[in-house]
Amino acid sequence: MNFGFSEDQLLLQQTVHDFLASELPVDEVRKLWNEDTGRSAEFWKRLAEIGIPGLLISEDHGGLGMNEIDGVLLIEETGRAALAEPVVQTSVAAPLITALSSSLADQWLAKIAAGEALAVVQHDVNAFTSDAHVADLLLLSHGDEIHALSADRVSLTAQPANDPSQRLFAIDWTRDDETRVASGKAGRALLAISLDRGALACAAQQLGVADKLIELAVAYACERKQFGVQIGSFQAVKHMLADVKVRLEYARSLVYRAAHSLARDTRGRSVDVSCAKAAASEAAVAAGRIALQVHGAIGYTWEQDLHVWMRRAWSLDLAWGNSAWHRARIADAVIDGALPAENFGYSAP
Amino acid sequence: MDLNYTAEQDAFRKEARAWLEANVPREPLPSFDTREGFEAHRAWEKQLNAGGWAMVPWPVEYGGRGANLLEWLIFEEEYYRAGAPGRVNQNGIFLLGPTIMEYGTPEQKARFLPKMASSEEVWAQGWSEPNAGSDMAAIQASAVLDGDHYVINGQKTWASRGAYADWLFGMFRTDPDSERHRGLTFVLVPLDLPGVTVRPIEQLDGEAGFAEVFLNDVRVPVENQLGEVNRGWDVAMATAGFERGLMLRSPARFQNTARKLVALYRETAASGQPIDAGLRDTVARCWVDAEAYTLNTYQTVSHLLAGGKIGSESSLNKIFWSELDLRMHEAALSLLGARAELLPQAPAAEGVGDWLDGYLFALSGPIYAGTNEVQRNIIAERILGLPRK
Ligand SMILES: Cc1cc2nc3c(=O)[nH]c(=O)nc-3n(C[C@H](O)[C@H](O)[C@H](O)COP(=O)(O)OP(=O)(O)OC[C@H]3O[C@@H](n4cnc5c(N)ncnc54)[C@H](O)[C@@H]3O)c2cc1C
């Protein structure tokens, strides 16, 4: 039993942190809002050089061959930086392709790891599919079936959304025997683990988002003066921020445990993921609201950067099952016993 | 990261479970806030000590088994799972014990720790004074050096277990010209000395759970000083860290309450009684939060075992466990409906009266061990870096 990260894992986190801090100032994130695709193929390639899209791809296919425990800290950093590129989608799609078929894997994984191709997953839990417009390969669900289609075989309808970084689409497509790559029990299992992967990735990003929102609020509270003193010296301000810090730190433990549950595919995996997603999303959304309150009216302006992260917190909450959806799944597990939900620590002998 | 227990840890759990199954009293003991209950609990502590389970992370020479903190968490899980009695000497074993381990002389360790482990000496914590509550640096009770003795005068209050305890640890002003937290010294005081008057105070539940202690020219040998003279604050901060952090409130207690709450929900639903739809969500949330608290503790312990330290982070714990405890009991009382007001002995209580007791106690969580408002100040200033004034 060891609930900690290795030196290597922490070092890699620091590397990604430093890279994003220097290469992706928030102005860059905002600049992409006005671009057609909202995405930068060039930046994505640079992310590929540090291994982000290839994180969960085997070394045989040019990836880093890591697992979710290694990945969780890195994805957290992408949330902190408000990176708009499809990190969540890739971290669902890559392992799904690996599991689906070796021919798909041979065809796509090396390109995905190199940042030269993108795959996205459409799942029933999401009403719309993000980043479908830049995907080369789309993995689409229909009941318990999964179909693999190339971009030229689908038609997309853009759904402008609250977060200008989010690019959402309704997908029109036709399935046939040739496009079907999984079905039945296997299809259900793959869709279930995909949902858990998507939710975990969102939860990990939410940790970074929440941390950043608290950081922005603290910085502002130390700088802004009213009544002749820094507003951060007022207890009402301190206590709001302290409360959200408590929420964040307890969500963090749940997210890291969920990464472990996915990496080891434990019995309680889905419940653990739901705990992580619900708690991290709630912490991030609360951090957004409180950071806005601390900023006063300046925070309510388009010009101020605060809403870059606030909107990210909202859209991550809605992706791959919102907090309410995950809490309902927890209640089903814990109260009705529909899924295994063992108290941590009570499971042994 | 590996959240599986090792074979040794599983074996340790089995051993603890077997001993507890064979030894935990079949009937719950009376409350340790009564004289009879206090002595019954002392006897149980002796039995625990005889089995070598009094304080598993302590060194063997002081009555422990030299286990690491992970094993301690495992032991606690088994302890609560077995429904074993509350620890009457928690101030000693969880708070003062670790402090003596850190600051005590070899003589003090040998003198105090074994008797603490066996609960031959039960401890009360004497920090609060009528005018020094949250503002603990306002302590006025004084200790004046007279030869090889301190002469102590003043009043302590709200000392838990003070009504029946044998010893009191506290801070006293040793430098009369000092202000605030400078000039205080940590001293260990026997409660049977001449000049000591203990007045029990009944708590919200009607039992004498804490006490006022009046000290009138009480002569205490100077070797009862813990740590350096006038540096008692540093020593006390270490104790406070243990109190807010994982020592006093190990996760097992909350996991156990959460499991009982889920069971209560199921029983209530099965009885066909209508349940407010929001309660299902509340119960699930409580269960998740108990998990989160457990995981956070395991994370902290892993960090400590890897050579890390914890400081102000224990204020995060304090807020989380105390509020979780309250939420769980409030949810249980909502589920109980009209039975929520029944004392355990009421015939219609049918075994659910403990929830009321638990609720009354949970209400004190955000107050003792430093109020939650004070903890929020600590988080804001020391963890987030907000300005003091
Ligand atoms: C069940 C129980 C057991 C206890 N056991 C012990 C014991 O064994 N030994 C012992 O020494 N003490 C014990 N205490 C006392 C406890 O430590 C104090 O009650 C606590 O420190 C608060 O002090 P106070 O009661 O004087 O409240 P006050 O300090 O008078 O506080 C009253 C209110 O004002 C708020 N407040 C005060 N200062 C600030 C501030 N700076 N910022 C914001 N809000 C503030 C508080 O949060 C609180 O809400 C116990 C208390 C209880 C309830």
Side-chain angles (χ1 to χ4, degrees), chain A:
Chain A
M1 159 79 61
N2 170 19
F3 199 153
F5 292 94
S6 69
E7 298 265 324
D8 285 349
Q9 286 163 335
L10 294 170
L11 200 70
L12 198 53
Q13 177 186 28
Q14 190 62 45
T15 308
V16 172
H17 173 92
D18 295 346
F19 174 83
L20 291 171
S22 72
E23 304 296 313
L24 190 69
V26 62
D27 291 349
E28 287 298 315
V29 175
R30 295 183 71 129
K31 218 166 84 191
L32 286 173
W33 287 358
N34 306 318
E35 303 285 320
D36 236 10
T37 64
R39 299 288 173 260
S40 160
E42 187 254 341
F43 196 74
W44 187 248
K45 281 206 98 160
R46 299 186 55 205
L47 284 170
E49 280 162 24
I50 60 167
I52 296 284
L55 203 76
L56 300 175
I57 293 175
S58 73
E59 287 167 298
D60 293 349
H61 287 113
L64 294 182
M66 291 185 164
N67 67 21
E68 287 80 356
I69 302 172
D70 305 296
V72 69
L73 295 174
L74 311 188
I75 295 179
E76 182 179 335
E77 292 309 319
T78 64
R80 188 188 313 278
L83 177 75
E85 301 296 332
V87 170
V88 174
Q89 275 289 19
T90 305
S91 69
V92 181
L96 178 58
I97 292 170
T98 307
L100 277 170
S101 82
S102 55
S103 68
L104 273 179
D106 291 341
Q107 193 185 344
W108 290 102
L109 289 179
K111 286 188 199 157
I112 292 173
E116 287 158 7
L118 265 174
V120 300
V121 179
Q122 172 266 320
H123 190 288
D124 281 348
V125 78
N126 295 318
F128 310 104
T129 305
S130 65
D131 291 278
H133 64 315
V134 284
D136 305 283
L137 172 69
L138 295 98
L139 299 162
L140 307 173
S141 76
H142 174 80
D144 60 18
E145 297 179 355
I146 302 174
H147 294 256
L149 280 81
S150 55
D152 55 355
R153 296 207 36 191
V154 302
S155 99
L156 305 175
T157 314
Q159 313 288 337
N162 176 39
D163 178 355
S165 287
Q166 272 276 95
R167 298 299 159 106
L168 298 176
F169 298 87
I171 307 176
D172 216 11
W173 58 291
T174 320
R175 71 205 133 84
D176 55 35
D177 286 349
E178 225 172 282
T179 57
R180 186 170 50 239
V181 285
S183 62
K185 204 171 155 220
R188 271 196 302 277
L190 287 173
L191 288 168
I193 197 165
S194 294
L195 192 161
D196 287 348
R197 287 210 177 92
L200 171 72
C202 291
Q205 284 200 329
Q206 290 283 45
L207 293 182
V209 168
D211 216 17
K212 181 70 183 187
L213 284 163
I214 295 172
E215 184 191 312
L216 290 170
V218 166
Y220 187 73
C222 289
E223 169 199 313
R224 172 72 170 168
K225 286 191 172 169
Q226 288 293 297
F227 304 98
V229 294
Q230 294 154 293
I231 57 168
S233 66
F234 298 130
Q235 219 168 41
V237 171
K238 284 183 179 169
H239 286 196
M240 284 194 290
L241 288 167
D243 276 333
V244 74
K245 176 70 174 168
V246 172
R247 293 177 80 146
L248 169 60
E249 291 313 314
Y250 283 87
R252 187 184 295 285
S253 316
L254 291 168
V255 176
Y256 294 165
R257 190 263 301 262
H260 179 272
S261 302
L262 257 162
R264 302 286 146 84
D265 198 10
T266 62
R267 259 164 55 77
R269 186 195 78 207
S270 291
V271 182
D272 295 350
V273 167
S274 282
C275 292
K277 177 69 159 65
S281 265
E282 287 188 328
V285 169
R289 194 170 45 70
I290 281 161
L292 172 62
Q293 187 66 21
V294 169
H295 277 76
I298 191 100
Y300 203 73
T301 63
W302 190 266
E303 187 194 340
Q304 238 280 339
D305 291 327
L306 185 66
H307 70 117
V308 174
W309 284 272
M310 225 161 72
R311 286 178 208 273
R312 192 56 51 85
W314 296 336
S315 48
L316 285 168
D317 177 32
L318 300 182
W320 297 98
N322 72 1
S323 301
W325 188 93
H326 283 284
R327 281 208 316 277
R329 187 160 79 150
I330 295 164
D332 289 349
V334 171
I335 294 174
D336 304 335
L339 290 165
E342 292 157 343
N343 265 138
F344 185 80
Y346 279 110
S347 50

Side-chain angles (χ1 to χ4, degrees), chain B residues 14 38 41-42 61 67-69 79 88 118-119 157 181 189 191 230 238 246 251-252 268 317 330 353 364 368 372:
Chain B
K14 265 201 181 129
F38 187 87
H41 276 79
R42 202 201 285 271
E61 59 202 292
N68 72 24
L69 285 176
Y79 194 84
V88 68
S118 67
S119 283
T157 191
H181 54 271
V189 184
L191 287 172
N230 293 337
L246 56 104
T268 312
N317 285 24
E330 283 167 352
S364 69
Y368 71 82
N372 284 11

